[in-house]
Amino acid sequence: MTLIDWSARINAMADALSVPDGGFSVNPNDGSDLSAGYAVAVHPEHERVFDGPVTSNDLHEYIAQAKDALTLPGRVLGGWRDPATGHVYLDVSVVTADLAEAMALARETTQLAIFDFSAMESIPVATPVAA
């Protein structure tokens, strides 16, 4: 993608976060949307929560701050606006085709939910049952 293409893509991502339950999961290598598997935020140190609207400048700053994690193999840029609170979450995620693997990763990083692309909904993280 050219710099102009990336600029337009980032503007579109900011627009996606302006509506309740809006969001994105984007491959940072080529700007493409992900559409299959389960997304799990695996870098809690890079999670950012905004109380209000997120601008394209906010996204540029976040990408610059999370650059090292976003360049790791298999990482994606994620964003979501919680319809209940209006908070916007930005994170670095991985996407896996395996639900059990996604749940294990989410438990390891103390996530509350993962995102299922086929159902287009969040799945609460299951707590392991003690033996």
Side-chain angles (χ1 to χ4, degrees):
M1 289 183 86
T2 68
L3 187 57
I4 292 171
D5 292 337
W6 268 112
S7 181
R9 185 69 179 108
I10 289 173
N11 286 336
M13 289 187 288
D15 287 345
L17 295 171
S18 69
V19 297
D21 213 22
F24 56 81
S25 291
V26 173
N27 181 330
N29 296 320
D30 62 12
S32 62
D33 288 311
L34 286 107
S35 59
Y38 303 94
V40 184
V42 292
H43 291 277
E45 71 277 15
H46 288 295
E47 181 178 279
R48 297 293 180 268
V49 182
F50 294 80
D51 291 332
V54 171
T55 67
S56 58
N57 285 339
D58 293 327
L59 287 172
H60 281 285
E61 288 176 19
Y62 177 78
I63 292 166
Q65 292 170 356
K67 179 180 73 168
D68 290 342
L70 288 168
T71 59
L72 294 171
R75 298 314 193 261
V76 299
L77 171 62
W80 175 63
R81 181 174 169 199
D82 181 345
T85 65
H87 294 155
V88 174
Y89 296 83
L90 299 178
D91 59 45
V92 177
S93 300
V94 295
V95 176
T96 178
D98 184 89
L99 177 58
E101 179 184 13
M103 284 294 179
L105 287 169
R107 282 191 294 273
E108 288 172 17
T109 56
T110 63
Q111 298 300 304
L112 298 176
I114 62 173
F115 189 78
D116 178 353
F117 287 104
S118 64
M120 293 304 288
E121 64 184 20
S122 295
I123 300 173
V125 174
T127 305
V129 177

